[in-house]
Amino acid sequence: MKEADMCLCPKPGEWAKGKMVGSGAFGSVHLAMNKSTGGLFVVKSAESRAALDFLENEANILGNLSSPHIVKCIGREKLEGVNGVRKLNLFIEYMAGGSLADIADKFEGVLDERMIRLYTREILKGLVYLHRNGVVHCDLKCKNVLLSSSGNIKLADFGCAKRLNGFMTRSSSMESSESICGTPLWMAPEVLRKEGVINYAADIWSLGCTVIEMATGKPPKWGDEILNPMAAVYKIAHSNEMPKFPAGFSKEGLDFLHKCFERNTKKRWTSENLLGHPFVCGKLDERNAENVELYSPSSVLDAGVYEEDEDVLVSKELICEREIKRRIPFTMRSFGERDYMSHRHSTNSLIASSGNWITVRIS
């Protein structure tokens, strides 16, 4: 049976809800199975009014998108609960690889720069598609970037997403330019300052934060303010500083981050500009690669994951496409930052988005 047939929207009563595999401030996420096809998917459920607003926004946004770089919504189910309280189930394709945040937790390390380049390229493809269709994601971070078992990347969690007015569709809901949501340490300065309508440049700032997160296994660091999130938020919004860049990062990577963290939104590079940047198209300089401390396999599950790049030169485009489909992530030892991993959840609780969903993953 084709995979496309396995992911058909289940008919009412023709699907079974499995165990909860994630939760957030606005609802729960369960594994589910289509009884007619045996296909797996996940269901996001919401009952409170606030939860319904975010989930309906996600459903409306995803309902008008179709891209191999965006997680697919396969349907929705509206129900009347007790005392007339509305319920909503949103059916989403199942991404067996989990999220980029899961990868760091699972391997107790951070991503190698070669993988960061590949993943960043795929994230950019998703952003280019969104921006061409008038959508700003508004909550880009590692938790909201999902992987298939083969390593394909898709953007997910569109509860905070906004569609710009010039791209309104009949199913889109009007969004207030004053309302913001997302995760503070990943938000752009202009968003935190509530300066007019949010635009695509906000996603680019968040992309830079996501690259740092992949490279360090932690949120962007603003001096010692990670221990005081509100001080960090104030510095993001009102200073002229940039977050601390990853140690040992290549010159292409550092330049890429500078383009993302340009405080003047008119000068900040677009997703299309960045897709042509050497960081995502070029080959990692061997001199920079010498600074990377690779993580030795600790079990049979890690063995064979890493393999050296071929010496044969092929096109940059082909390298990116082949690598992302062929490999699963491997890690390197973090430069003195591994202690953060054991405290990730407690730190995130201080700075998490009110609309954040915990990434779906089967233990």
Side-chain angles (χ1 to χ4, degrees), residues 105 143 185-186 219 226-229 339-352 358:
D105 284 334
K143 281 189 176 180
L185 291 186
W186 282 257
I226 187 62
L227 300 177
N228 185 350
D339 290 343
Y340 166 80
M341 302 308 298
S342 62
H343 302 291
R344 173 188 287 270
H345 298 294
S346 61
T347 302
N348 280 350
S349 66
L350 296 175
I351 60 177
I358 303 302

Coordinates of all heavy atoms in Angstrom, one line a residue, residues 105 143 185-186 219 226-229 339-352 358:
D105 N 18.8 15.8 22.6 CA 18.5 15.1 23.9 C 18.9 13.7 23.8 O 19.5 13.1 24.7 CB 17.0 15.3 24.2 CG 16.7 16.6 24.8 OD1 17.6 17.3 25.3 OD2 15.5 17.1 24.7
K143 N 12.4 22.6 18.3 CA 11.3 21.7 18.7 C 10.2 21.7 17.6 O 9.4 20.8 17.6 CB 10.7 22.2 20.0 CG 11.4 21.8 21.3 CD 10.6 22.2 22.5 CE 11.3 21.7 23.8 NZ 10.5 22.0 25.0
L185 N 13.0 33.9 23.8 CA 14.5 33.9 23.4 C 14.7 33.7 21.9 O 15.9 33.8 21.5 CB 15.3 32.9 24.3 CG 15.4 33.3 25.8 CD1 16.3 32.3 26.5 CD2 15.9 34.7 26.0
W186 N 13.7 33.3 21.2 CA 13.8 33.1 19.7 C 13.2 34.2 19.0 O 13.2 34.2 17.8 CB 13.2 31.7 19.3 CG 14.1 30.5 19.6 CD1 14.8 29.8 18.7 CD2 14.2 29.9 20.9 NE1 15.4 28.8 19.3 CE2 15.1 28.8 20.7 CE3 13.7 30.1 22.2 CZ2 15.5 27.9 21.7 CZ3 14.1 29.2 23.2 CH2 15.0 28.2 22.9
P219 N 19.5 27.4 24.1 CA 19.0 28.6 23.5 C 20.1 29.7 23.2 O 21.2 29.6 23.8 CB 18.0 29.2 24.5 CG 17.6 28.0 25.4 CD 18.9 27.1 25.4
I226 N 20.8 34.1 30.5 CA 20.1 32.8 30.4 C 19.4 32.4 31.7 O 18.4 31.8 31.8 CB 20.9 31.7 29.8 CG1 20.1 30.4 29.5 CG2 22.0 31.3 30.8 CD1 19.1 30.7 28.5
L227 N 20.1 32.9 32.8 CA 19.5 32.6 34.2 C 18.4 33.5 34.5 O 17.7 33.3 35.5 CB 20.7 32.6 35.2 CG 21.8 31.6 35.0 CD1 22.9 31.8 36.0 CD2 21.3 30.2 35.0
N228 N 18.3 34.6 33.8 CA 17.3 35.6 34.0 C 16.6 35.9 32.7 O 17.0 36.9 32.0 CB 17.9 36.9 34.6 CG 16.8 37.9 35.0 OD1 15.7 37.8 34.6 ND2 17.2 38.9 35.7
P229 N 15.7 35.1 32.2 CA 15.1 35.3 30.9 C 14.5 36.7 30.6 O 14.6 37.1 29.5 CB 13.9 34.2 30.9 CG 14.4 33.2 31.9 CD 15.1 34.0 33.0
D339 N 26.3 20.2 30.3 CA 25.5 20.2 31.6 C 24.2 20.9 31.3 O 23.2 20.6 32.0 CB 26.3 21.1 32.6 CG 27.5 20.4 33.2 OD1 27.6 19.1 32.9 OD2 28.3 21.0 33.8
Y340 N 24.1 21.7 30.3 CA 22.8 22.3 30.0 C 21.7 21.3 29.7 O 20.6 21.5 30.0 CB 22.9 23.2 28.8 CG 21.6 23.6 28.2 CD1 20.9 24.6 28.8 CD2 21.1 23.0 27.1 CE1 19.6 25.0 28.3 CE2 19.8 23.3 26.6 CZ 19.1 24.3 27.2 OH 17.9 24.7 26.7
M341 N 22.1 20.2 29.0 CA 21.1 19.2 28.5 C 20.3 18.7 29.7 O 19.1 18.5 29.5 CB 21.8 18.1 27.8 CG 22.6 18.5 26.6 SD 21.7 19.6 25.5 CE 20.5 18.4 25.0
S342 N 20.8 18.5 30.8 CA 20.1 17.9 32.0 C 19.1 18.9 32.5 O 18.2 18.6 33.3 CB 21.0 17.4 33.1 OG 21.8 18.5 33.6
H343 N 19.3 20.2 32.2 CA 18.4 21.3 32.7 C 17.5 21.9 31.6 O 16.9 22.9 31.9 CB 19.3 22.4 33.3 CG 20.2 21.9 34.4 ND1 19.7 21.4 35.6 CD2 21.5 21.8 34.5 CE1 20.7 21.1 36.4 NE2 21.8 21.2 35.7
R344 N 17.5 21.3 30.4 CA 16.8 21.9 29.3 C 15.3 22.1 29.7 O 14.8 23.2 29.4 CB 16.9 20.9 28.1 CG 16.0 21.4 26.9 CD 15.9 20.4 25.9 NE 17.1 20.3 25.1 CZ 17.4 21.0 24.0 NH1 16.5 21.9 23.6 NH2 18.5 20.9 23.4
H345 N 14.7 21.1 30.3 CA 13.2 21.3 30.5 C 12.9 22.3 31.5 O 12.0 23.0 31.4 CB 12.6 19.9 30.9 CG 12.8 18.9 29.8 ND1 12.1 19.0 28.6 CD2 13.5 17.8 29.7 CE1 12.5 18.0 27.8 NE2 13.3 17.2 28.5
S346 N 13.7 22.4 32.6 CA 13.5 23.4 33.6 C 13.7 24.8 33.1 O 13.0 25.7 33.4 CB 14.4 23.2 34.8 OG 15.7 23.3 34.5
T347 N 14.7 25.0 32.2 CA 14.9 26.3 31.6 C 13.8 26.6 30.7 O 13.3 27.8 30.6 CB 16.3 26.3 30.9 OG1 17.3 25.9 31.8 CG2 16.6 27.7 30.3
N348 N 13.4 25.7 29.8 CA 12.4 26.0 28.9 C 11.1 26.4 29.5 O 10.3 27.1 29.0 CB 12.1 24.7 28.0 CG 13.2 24.6 26.9 OD1 14.0 25.5 26.7 ND2 13.2 23.5 26.2
S349 N 10.8 25.9 30.7 CA 9.6 26.2 31.4 C 9.5 27.7 31.7 O 8.4 28.2 31.9 CB 9.4 25.4 32.7 OG 10.4 25.7 33.6
L350 N 10.7 28.3 31.8 CA 10.7 29.8 32.1 C 10.4 30.6 30.9 O 10.0 31.7 31.0 CB 12.0 30.1 32.7 CG 12.4 29.5 34.1 CD1 13.8 29.9 34.5 CD2 11.4 30.0 35.2
I351 N 10.8 30.1 29.7 CA 10.8 30.9 28.5 C 9.9 30.3 27.4 O 9.8 30.8 26.3 CB 12.2 31.0 28.0 CG1 12.8 29.6 27.6 CG2 13.1 31.8 28.9 CD1 14.1 29.7 27.0
A352 N 9.1 29.2 27.7 CA 8.4 28.5 26.7 C 7.2 29.3 26.2 O 6.6 30.1 26.9 CB 7.8 27.2 27.2
I358 N 4.6 20.1 22.8 CA 5.7 19.3 23.0 C 5.9 18.4 21.8 O 4.9 17.8 21.3 CB 5.6 18.4 24.3 CG1 5.4 19.3 25.5 CG2 6.8 17.5 24.4 CD1 6.5 20.3 25.7

